[in-house]
Amino acid sequence: MAAVDKYNVESAEILANSALHLPITQAAPIYEQLLSIFPTAAKYWRQYVEAQMAVSNDDATKQIFSRCLLNCLQIPLWRCYIRFIRKVNDKKGVEGQEETRKAFDFMLGYVGADIGSGPVWMEYIAFLKSLPHKMVLQAANTQEESQRMTAVRKAYQKAIVTPTHHVEQLWKDYENFENSVSRQLAKGLLSEYQPKYNSARAVYRERKKYVDEIDWNMLAVPPTDSCKEEMQWMTWKRLLAFEKGNPQRIDSASSNKRIIFTYEQCLMYLYHYPDIWYDYATWHAKSGSMDAATKVFQRALKALPDSEMLNYAYAELEESRGAIQSAKKLYESLLGNGADTTALAHIQFIRFIRRTEGVEAARKYFLDARKTPTCTYHVYVAYALMAFCLDKDPKVAHNVFEAGLKHFMHEPAYILEYADFLSCLNDDRNIRALFERALSSLPQEESIEVWKQFTQFEQTYGDLASMLKVEQRRKEALSGKSEEAASVLESSLQDVVARYSFKDLWPCTSKDLDHLSRQEWLAKNIGKKVEKSAFSNGSATIDKNPSAPTSNSTASVKVLYPDISQMVVYDPRQHSGTAAPPNTTAPAILAASNPLSNPTISAVDSGSANAFDEVLKATPPALVAFLTNLPALEGPIPNVDIVLSICLQSNLPTGQTKKLTALPSQRTTGPAPSTSDLSGSSKSHPIPSSSSFRPRDRHLGKRKDLDSKFPAVFMGQEEDETTTVQSQPLPRDVFRIRQIQKARGGSASQTGSVSYGSALSGDLSGSTY
């Protein structure tokens, strides 16, 4: 696998499947490659070891088990191990059986708490029961037989208090075992262990809820913040919290053993998560096992060698328990060879030396560190503050800041840190000198924060004259960055608010602040000379020059309010169903020529009316009709070009009024209107008789309901009774949709007009005006 695609799960699965069909000599390098990337993938270890067992390579098998067993606490892998042990020791007699028993004890000591360890317990008990039959000749007396039965009893008693999938079956087997040995003894033992078994069964049901959510086939990969990985992380966290709560109320040693087992299993899948390693180590430390915490940190750094967080956490643990030399080695490992050392590593090492070796040792290292190419202004600030706060030596701190100023005068952050330090000394004279030196050398774009800090300093330390002077200088220095330089230089009420506020205390209400911000924005825009009129959102801007009807200039921000005296509230009751529809030719152009009646045009200056008329003359009538039929909206206006492109690319059925399309007799009374007629084209066509529109009155109630929810306001004109296609509801019947499509095809051929794409179908006619 390529280094870039190192943790690709799909590629790993393909390699593992290909290794199954290869001889072990060819498959071994593949397994080694996979396991170097996924060292906790138990299924790959098992596949690898089974391939070695298949060719009876016992030495290689033992070596593989020694590498994986303690880091992969998975039942199938450990059962493979016990099969190998039993196979090896099967012909060794008593000695081999003793080795097998020790292997069982070893296995149950690590994975006996697993929720799926029931079959392992059963296999172990069956093995113990089989021993007397094979060792009957060696049994010296009944005492030895009693010892074997006691071993079986202890195995049962451990198994029935472990929350596993087979806990109920194990309890039944235990009852049968005790009754077969002695009914009188069984009664007392069963009554003693019945509550413990009940508790284990209850805990098993709760544990199962968490375990069922775990993906046991997941490979350990670095975090990618995918939803699946986050869900698995949360599931393991919940299971760990459940185990830490000791729900079974067992002794602390047994409870800690289960918590350790859960952490180890968790790290098989979240191997690259530093927070899991840290939680595991700190849990050991809080439990008093400092050595175990140290081992966890060592394993963590082996898994994540580039994690600075774990290095610092490990060094902190070592320092807290007095292992200073071990902690120092960890800090030195972060320093590296010097070329790759970060400024943070320098700072933390100086602090560590100051704590453990004293002031002189820290000073000596600082003098060496500032000569390295990786030393930034942070190192100077950190050492100066350490000398000032810890060593109580302001003179040394001042010298360090001055030394750093020679190298970092171009760093605004360093200037501000130095100014804060001088503020602690109450040295206002040197603060002013520092600001003046810095502002004279800093570029304009990097001096904003320094000017802000200088202004705040004068508000605290200066008098009114100096405060106003600095504020004016700040405006003059920064006004070149904006186009509204003249308005910036003017004083505003917001300057007063800034001068007389303190932290979260303001000389006005939040509503006043909002009002002032709005006024400031309007003042900046009023200061602009309006030279161009534009559609809203800059979708179609209009230049003053009539020869250039369309221009991509910025939209004018001058606000023009409509003449509300010309606004008429739409009311469908004002239109009669028998009245002849008004002319759709002239009103469309008139409405479009009026800037206030067109809802898509905003902020048009009065001086550009002639240019607007010229644009309208060059605009296709179908587009003008489309614009005039757009509803009035409050808020952001859609981009007309985008809307038109969507309409052209749409494939929606064209609809007319229900009765108009439903009655064939109405279509034969005259030529069917084209799509341009329905969209308000300025080209005149025969107007259908009023009787053809009369059946719409029975649907007037539904139209009223819609209009009551979405009232339309038209400025200076009333709506035509023949509404557009967009205003009609789409028929749901497939047969009617086909009729509409046929009627639309016929009307297009009769009229020979173009619609630039219907708003419902998006088809573009091939004919022209």
Side-chain angles (χ1 to χ4, degrees):
M1 288 181 289
V4 178
D5 202 25
K6 186 163 93 163
Y7 292 102
N8 188 290
V9 176
E10 290 78 10
S11 300
E13 292 292 340
I14 293 173
L15 277 177
N17 291 332
S18 65
L20 287 172
H21 308 288
L22 296 175
I24 188 59
T25 54
Q26 300 178 15
I30 297 177
Y31 288 124
E32 292 293 341
Q33 181 184 3
L34 284 173
L35 293 171
S36 64
I37 300 171
F38 304 102
T40 58
K43 59 181 180 180
Y44 294 157
W45 283 111
R46 178 187 173 193
Q47 189 174 323
Y48 188 15
V49 78
E50 285 179 344
Q52 296 286 3
M53 291 171 61
V55 295
S56 300
N57 194 344
D58 294 346
D59 294 336
T61 302
K62 291 179 181 179
Q63 185 180 6
I64 294 172
F65 276 131
S66 65
R67 292 167 55 192
C68 68
L69 280 181
L70 299 183
N71 295 325
C72 300
L73 303 184
Q74 191 189 55
I75 292 297
L77 178 63
W78 280 81
R79 294 195 73 182
C80 181
Y81 161 72
I82 206 67
R83 286 200 307 272
F84 170 73
I85 294 297
R86 298 190 72 170
K87 175 185 175 183
V88 170
N89 296 311
D90 187 46
K91 298 180 180 180
K92 293 184 179 180
V94 177
E95 183 181 354
Q97 291 172 348
E98 182 64 20
E99 290 294 328
T100 303
R101 186 188 64 79
K102 290 180 180 179
F104 268 115
D105 290 338
F106 173 72
M107 178 177 64
L108 291 172
Y110 279 94
V111 298
D114 192 285
I115 196 172
S117 63
V120 178
W121 285 104
M122 292 180 177
E123 184 179 358
Y124 179 44
I125 292 171
F127 169 76
L128 292 177
K129 288 182 178 180
S130 65
L131 289 180
H133 301 285
K134 294 182 181 180
M135 301 173 62
V136 63
L137 297 177
Q138 286 78 17
N141 46 43
T142 57
Q143 184 177 359
E144 187 175 348
E145 180 68 18
S146 176
Q147 290 177 353
R148 297 191 183 93
M149 298 305 292
T150 302
V152 174
R153 180 178 290 110
K154 287 182 178 180
Y156 267 124
Q157 290 173 352
K158 290 180 180 179
I160 62 176
V161 297
T162 305
T164 63
H165 295 305
H166 298 77
V167 65
E168 295 182 358
Q169 182 61 44
L170 285 167
W171 173 255
K172 293 178 182 179
D173 294 345
Y174 178 54
E175 285 183 321
N176 295 333
F177 168 75
E178 291 293 357
N179 288 323
S180 65
V181 175
S182 172
R183 288 186 174 271
Q184 184 176 1
L185 183 61
K187 186 176 181 180
L189 290 174
L190 293 176
S191 61
E192 178 185 354
Y193 278 89
Q194 179 78 43
K196 297 179 181 179
Y197 155 71
N198 291 335
S199 177
R201 185 176 60 176
V203 170
Y204 157 72
R205 292 172 181 172
E206 291 297 321
R207 180 195 275 188
K208 187 175 182 297
K209 296 177 183 178
Y210 301 104
V211 172
D212 288 346
E213 297 179 5
I214 296 174
D215 181 9
W216 298 101
N217 292 318
M218 175 180 172
L219 291 177
V221 298
T224 60
D225 297 329
S226 66
C227 182
K228 179 182 178 182
E229 290 180 1
E230 290 179 351
M231 292 299 295
Q232 289 297 302
W233 181 87
M234 293 173 60
T235 300
W236 279 109
K237 282 284 189 177
R238 287 194 292 264
L239 179 58
L240 286 167
F242 173 76
E243 295 294 350
K244 288 179 182 179
N246 192 7
Q248 202 171 340
R249 299 297 181 266
I250 55 180
D251 59 279
S252 59
S254 301
S255 177
N256 290 343
K257 193 174 181 180
R258 288 188 185 178
I259 295 172
I260 292 172
F261 170 76
T262 307
Y263 266 118
E264 293 291 344
Q265 277 199 327
C266 177
L267 288 171
M268 289 174 58
Y269 306 96
L270 305 183
Y271 186 72
H272 297 277
Y273 284 68
D275 60 311
I276 302 296
W277 287 104
Y278 178 74
D279 289 346
Y280 189 19
T282 52
W283 175 82
H284 271 302
K286 291 178 181 178
S287 301
S289 303
M290 300 300 290
D291 293 337
T294 300
K295 292 179 181 178
V296 171
F297 271 126
Q298 290 173 353
R299 291 171 54 195
L301 293 178
K302 184 178 179 181
L304 304 171
D306 297 330
S307 177
E308 291 186 25
M309 300 180 292
L310 292 176
N311 269 285
Y312 286 127
Y314 184 21
E316 184 180 84
L317 176 70
E318 293 288 62
E319 185 181 353
S320 64
R321 68 173 191 154
I324 304 301
Q325 293 303 316
S326 298
K328 188 174 182 179
K329 288 181 181 179
L330 289 169
Y331 280 108
E332 289 174 346
S333 67
L334 289 171
L335 295 175
N337 55 11
D340 301 330
T341 308
T342 62
L344 181 61
H346 285 305
I347 293 170
Q348 297 302 333
F349 190 55
I350 291 173
R351 291 179 175 177
F352 170 75
I353 293 179
R354 167 65 177 76
R355 290 193 303 266
T356 58
E357 299 181 18
V359 177
E360 286 301 321
R363 178 178 174 274
K364 183 179 179 182
Y365 181 79
F366 168 71
L367 294 176
D368 294 336
R370 69 175 187 168
K371 299 176 184 178
T372 60
T374 58
C375 179
T376 64
Y377 75 90
H378 305 84
V379 180
Y380 282 81
V381 173
Y383 182 71
L385 294 180
M386 185 178 66
F388 177 61
C389 299
L390 298 179
D391 303 336
K392 313 299 181 184
D393 194 341
K395 184 177 179 179
V396 173
H398 189 276
N399 293 337
V400 171
F401 271 117
E402 280 296 323
L405 203 60
K406 299 176 182 178
H407 304 283
F408 306 109
M409 178 65 81
H410 62 282
E411 291 284 354
Y414 185 76
I415 302 300
L416 298 179
E417 290 288 347
Y418 191 8
D420 288 340
F421 165 72
L422 293 175
S423 297
C424 295
L425 298 180
N426 205 22
D427 190 356
D428 57 322
R429 188 174 180 179
N430 281 329
I431 294 176
R432 287 189 179 92
L434 173 65
F435 280 130
E436 295 294 347
R437 291 168 60 190
L439 292 172
S440 64
S441 61
L442 283 174
Q444 187 181 26
E445 60 273 7
E446 296 181 3
S447 62
I448 297 175
E449 288 298 323
V450 179
W451 274 113
K452 181 180 178 182
Q453 191 78 2
F454 193 11
T455 305
Q456 293 177 354
F457 164 76
E458 288 295 346
Q459 291 174 2
T460 304
Y461 289 89
D463 53 17
L464 182 60
S466 63
M467 183 175 15
L468 296 177
K469 182 179 178 181
V470 171
E471 286 186 1
Q472 188 65 22
R473 288 177 57 196
R474 174 174 175 263
K475 290 181 179 180
E476 293 174 355
L478 301 180
S479 59
K481 288 183 64 63
S482 61
E483 298 177 359
E484 308 86 7
S487 62
V488 169
L489 292 176
E490 297 178 359
S491 299
S492 66
L493 193 58
Q494 281 200 341
D495 297 334
V496 178
V497 173
R499 284 196 294 267
Y500 293 96
S501 61
F502 182 75
K503 296 187 180 297
D504 59 344
L505 302 177
W506 302 88
C508 58
T509 62
S510 58
K511 184 177 180 181
D512 293 335
L513 284 176
D514 294 338
H515 179 67
L516 289 174
S517 299
R518 176 67 178 172
Q519 284 186 328
E520 183 183 17
W521 183 84
L522 291 174
K524 290 180 181 179
N525 292 301
I526 288 174
K528 288 183 178 179
K529 184 178 180 181
V530 180
E531 296 181 354
K532 297 180 181 179
S533 302
F535 288 115
S536 297
N537 207 23
S539 60
T541 57
I542 303 170
D543 194 12
K544 278 187 173 182
N545 186 4
S547 63
T550 57
S551 174
N552 294 328
S553 60
T554 307
S556 174
V557 294
K558 185 175 180 180
V559 179
L560 291 178
Y561 294 96
D563 184 4
I564 60 174
S565 62
Q566 300 296 326
M567 298 173 67
V568 179
V569 179
Y570 172 74
D571 188 355
R573 293 173 294 183
Q574 296 177 359
H575 301 277
S576 174
T578 59
N583 190 352
T584 61
T585 304
I589 295 297
L590 291 175
S593 64
N594 184 2
L596 296 179
S597 64
N598 193 340
T600 65
I601 301 176
S602 64
V604 180
D605 186 64
S606 59
S608 61
N610 295 331
F612 185 80
D613 292 336
E614 294 295 332
V615 172
L616 289 175
K617 292 179 182 179
T619 304
L623 179 58
V624 175
F626 174 75
L627 295 176
T628 57
N629 286 309
L630 289 176
L633 297 174
E634 290 185 3
I637 305 300
N639 190 310
V640 178
D641 296 333
I642 296 177
V643 173
L644 287 176
S645 65
I646 293 176
C647 292
L648 292 172
Q649 297 173 11
S650 302
N651 189 19
L652 299 174
T654 305
Q656 300 180 16
T657 58
K658 291 185 178 180
K659 289 297 180 181
L660 186 62
T661 59
L663 299 176
S665 61
Q666 295 178 9
R667 292 198 301 271
T668 59
T669 58
S674 68
T675 55
S676 62
D677 296 328
L678 294 173
S679 61
S681 173
S682 62
K683 188 174 180 67
S684 61
H685 297 285
I687 301 174
S689 62
S690 60
S691 61
S692 65
F693 291 90
R694 189 174 293 112
R696 287 184 59 200
D697 293 342
R698 68 184 64 184
H699 298 282
L700 194 58
K702 295 182 179 179
R703 180 61 183 268
K704 289 179 181 180
D705 295 338
L706 293 174
D707 292 332
S708 64
K709 297 179 180 178
F710 305 96
V713 179
F714 294 87
M715 293 163 280
Q717 65 175 347
E718 293 182 357
E719 187 190 17
D720 184 10
E721 179 63 22
T722 57
T723 57
T724 60
V725 174
Q726 291 92 331
S727 64
Q728 302 300 323
L730 293 176
R732 298 183 181 179
D733 187 75
V734 177
F735 179 73
R736 289 189 178 183
I737 294 174
R738 292 177 179 174
Q739 282 186 323
I740 292 170
Q741 293 175 344
K742 289 180 181 179
R744 179 179 176 277
S747 63
S749 62
Q750 292 175 21
T751 60
S753 62
V754 65
S755 65
Y756 288 86
S758 169
L760 293 176
S761 66
D763 298 329
L764 183 63
S765 175
S767 58
T768 59
Y769 284 105

